[in-house]
Amino acid sequence: MTAFTEIAIPHKDILEGRFTLEAYASDLWEVVKGTAPEEYRDRELFFERTFETEGLKSIVEVAKRRLEGQPSDPVVQIQTPFGGGKTHALIYLYHKAKEWNTKVFVFSGDKISAKESTLWEEMERQLTGKVEEFKGRETPGGEKLKEFLSQHEPLLLLMDEIHAYLVSASAIGVGESNLASQSLLFIQYLTTTVRSLHKTVMFVSLPTSSPYADVASENLLNKLKGILGRVEKVYTPVSDEEVANVIRRRLFSKVNEDKAKKVIRDFLDFAERENLLPQGVEKSYYRDKFLKTYPFQPEVIDVLYKRWGSFPTFQRTRGVLRLLALVVHSLINHRRPYIRLADFDLSNENIRRELIKHIGTEYDSIIAQDITSKTSGAKKVDRSLGDSYKPYNFGTAVATTIFMYSFSGAGERGATIGDIKLSASEISIGSSIIVETIEKLKENLFYLADEGLFFKNRPNLNKVLLDKVESISVDKVETVEKDLLKSELKGSFETYIWPQSSGDVPDTPSLKLVILRKDNGMKEIYENYRERPRVYKNVLLFLVAEASERAGFEMELKKKLAWEMVAKDSNLALTEEQKREVKEKIKRLEGDIKISLRNLYRKVYVPSRNGLKEIDLGIAIYGKERSIDQEVYERLKTEGEIILNLSPKVLLDKYLQDRDYVEIRQIYESFLKVPGEVRMFSKEEFKEAIKRGIKEGLFGLGRLEENQVNFLYFKEDCEVNLSGDEVLIRGEWCQIKSSEVKFQGQDQRETKLKVGESTPITTAFTPYTDIESEEGKSISSIKLEVQIPSGKFSEFIGPLRLINARFKKVKVKISIEASEGSILKREYDSSIKEAFSQSGIIVEKEEKR
């Protein structure tokens, strides 16, 4: 989109950064003396940069008619809130009087010292160049005043800051009275006199309330209003609807309306798609309003003029002008199509100073801590939203918008999500990112209110939380982590948590899971048991924490502990809403910590022929109810690292291919001791495999006695005791010997095979393999389409791994359709897409609503 600086052209002084803040502080007295900034001193330039409001037109018309002797109001009070355009209107009248060649008397009560001059003395000095008739601190009478003024008609009287003069004059004694009382009497005479003349008009500016915090000054203002109230007519120079025109004329030399309409049309199309316009606001109404305020969004003017302008110290028109001049200059090189509240650069000292002087200097550090510093919460959110959103700095933009909505002299504070979307959205990006940003800011800002979207000068629960977090010791974290681990183990293994030395893990045949916080002690435990080499290596399984996950886990753990401390701290005097929020946070963290603990302890190491083999459990699946050790067990079973049902065929192929017999105990011991050998959960599973093999005729059972093998069982039920003399015998030999035994009718098992002797097999003898079944045929390719029931995906992984092991080229595509529910975008991005990314999973097609 076109940059606003190419549509609304700022005045040269703003473009070049040569403007001063004083340029927006109108001063009638400086104009009279000829020392005001050029924008006010030069009549043509002043008229060029002044938007003639309806009120200003009325004031000028009243003055012109009266000075020409036509019926009109003789005394006019210009009354607006502080900074509402009073002085600007008087300067406008002053320049008009000079244009009309009319005499002018100007009194600026905050510039003329009550000790040095009185109202009547100053009047005579300006109109005659000397003080003779009105000299002294006692007011001249009404007749004398009338005679004097009639000599100088047509005459324009401009009275500014009268109240300020009266406050000063009240300290100067005049007989039994004081100069303030004499001045009030003079004003009473003056208003009566002006009314009786035909070509004299008097304009007086008054504040709506006393800017001084004392009863005496308030009383003086009320007396002044009482005197003027009998003859005055009140005019307002600038209405709320005209403020935007005043600002635009003052800051910009010209605006290309056609280009502005194009930008506004594009914005409104986006706002309509995203449903951003406030309830009840018609698109056409907002368009017209935006066109008047362009390049500023309407919300910029509304918030500054109505909210910030309600502070007694904030000069509404002048203050808004000064602030927006700074904002425009700060954005000249940013190529923004229009200016939002989100674009106020709070890191700009001049902009920041213009704001915090109305709300308290403590906000200087609050802004830095929460919004502008590199380590601020808003900047953390900028970085956390991902690379695609990084150029837009949504964290800073949303936080800035909330800040601008946070303050009002009338007590109104805070923004709605709709307000923030309207003032911080980018039209090229869906507004849902604003909601996500707000949620992240709630977790990261220290001075964002717990009860709404506004800033305050007291720390919120996040800051309280941080203080508690910093008080939690390392030992406390370790203790709680260990307790959590214990609670997440269901006894699937003989488990050893954080052993301090190799001697803490027994060197026994049972299958063990050793859990380590770090992997630097793993090798020592694996290789040794105390001072000697470890014998039973193949039964050792290690579960080791992933270093990259530790910081996140420990922070979540500390947060949970801290929230529990907050809940118990009666000194904090939490509101009921805060108590509910703390309770919810604790509950949410309990679930998150379980997932984080599992993600932390995700690296499994199992013995292999080449050392310890790593198996990564991957990112945890939400909603899975398995304990950590159960998940390790299931994964190792799927990987074939733990075998539940040992196939007798494995024993045949592995141990009896090139030998006639093998000692059973020797096989079992190799399973326990030799890294990478078959690993079973219990001795009974091994026995059952042997018994099945004998029953099926894959091999027979014998006993080794005095260097001879006694044939005992073949194709029949038997018992296996794992005694040192039990052997497995090749099926071919058993087939022959079993026939001989039956042929001879012998019941006793006396057929022997000498140790080292090969059994003679004739060419007519066919080794026993059973009749080849259908299961024995080879399959060269597989193509499957499967539908996996919800919750059964882990059961799909095992067969998939087997396929992957048997075939060189395996391609898997999975279609996921999920409906009738919802998931937060941040959860979808962090827990699903991020998990896919880490696993190298390519998402070829993505549809979501």
Side-chain angles (χ1 to χ4, degrees), residues 133-145:
E133 296 185 44
F134 292 165
K135 192 170 185 179
R137 290 181 172 171
E138 290 188 4
T139 180
E143 286 301 318
K144 191 175 183 180
L145 182 60

Side-chain angles (χ1 to χ4, degrees), residues 485 488-495 511-515 539-544 597-598 600-606 613 615-618 624 626-643 679 681 801:
L485 265 175
E488 285 298 304
L489 299 173
K490 303 302 182 186
S492 299
F493 298 97
E494 184 179 311
T495 307
L511 197 60
K512 303 171 185 67
L513 182 65
V514 181
I515 303 178
V539 295
L540 280 185
L541 308 171
F542 294 93
L543 179 62
V544 183
L597 182 70
R598 157 60 183 76
L600 175 63
Y601 287 93
R602 56 187 273 192
K603 291 294 181 69
V604 180
Y605 293 87
V606 297
K613 171 185 173 183
I615 298 173
D616 193 333
L617 295 178
K624 202 143 190 174
R626 287 176 182 162
S627 64
I628 290 178
D629 56 340
Q630 285 173 339
E631 191 163 351
V632 170
Y633 173 77
E634 291 296 333
R635 180 61 179 275
L636 293 182
K637 185 175 71 171
T638 300
E639 294 277 354
E641 297 294 341
I642 293 177
I643 296 176
R679 192 178 294 107
F681 202 74
R801 292 184 188 282

Side-chain angles (χ1 to χ4, degrees), residues 585-748:
K585 287 180 181 292
I586 293 172
K587 185 176 181 180
R588 191 182 312 123
L589 279 168
E590 284 174 350
D592 292 344
I593 285 171
K594 283 187 177 184
I595 298 296
S596 294
L597 182 70
R598 157 60 183 76
N599 288 339
L600 175 63
Y601 287 93
R602 56 187 273 192
K603 291 294 181 69
V604 180
Y605 293 87
V606 297
S608 72
R609 297 191 184 279
N610 299 316
L612 289 168
K613 171 185 173 183
E614 179 187 305
I615 298 173
D616 193 333
L617 295 178
I619 300 296
I621 299 175
Y622 280 80
K624 202 143 190 174
E625 298 299 327
R626 287 176 182 162
S627 64
I628 290 178
D629 56 340
Q630 285 173 339
E631 191 163 351
V632 170
Y633 173 77
E634 291 296 333
R635 180 61 179 275
L636 293 182
K637 185 175 71 171
T638 300
E639 294 277 354
E641 297 294 341
I642 293 177
I643 296 176
L644 280 186
N645 298 306
L646 178 62
S647 170
K649 188 75 163 51
V650 172
L651 297 174
L652 174 66
D653 294 342
K654 192 173 181 66
Y655 298 102
L656 291 171
Q657 282 296 319
D658 56 357
R659 64 182 77 176
D660 293 321
Y661 70 91
V662 64
E663 295 177 37
I664 296 177
R665 182 75 181 181
Q666 186 181 39
I667 298 174
Y668 182 64
E669 288 291 326
S670 72
F671 287 179
L672 304 176
K673 298 175 183 178
V674 179
E677 277 287 358
V678 173
R679 192 178 294 107
M680 290 179 298
F681 202 74
S682 71
K683 184 188 296 185
E684 295 306 315
E685 293 169 5
F686 179 63
K687 290 180 180 181
E688 287 301 316
I690 291 175
K691 288 161 67 174
R692 288 200 309 276
I694 294 169
K695 178 75 172 176
E696 294 169 7
L698 297 180
F699 42 71
L701 177 66
R703 181 172 286 111
L704 184 62
E705 296 175 349
E706 297 178 0
N707 283 337
Q708 287 189 328
V709 174
N710 273 344
F711 167 77
L712 296 175
Y713 297 100
F714 183 62
K715 290 189 177 181
E716 55 190 311
D717 292 327
C718 64
E719 289 299 320
V720 178
N721 300 311
L722 291 189
S723 59
D725 57 356
E726 289 177 320
V727 294
L728 294 184
I729 306 170
R730 285 180 66 182
E732 298 94 324
W733 193 84
C734 294
Q735 183 83 357
I736 297 168
K737 295 304 178 184
S738 177
S739 299
E740 291 179 359
V741 170
K742 291 179 182 178
F743 178 76
Q744 294 171 4
Q746 296 178 354
D747 264 343
Q748 297 182 354

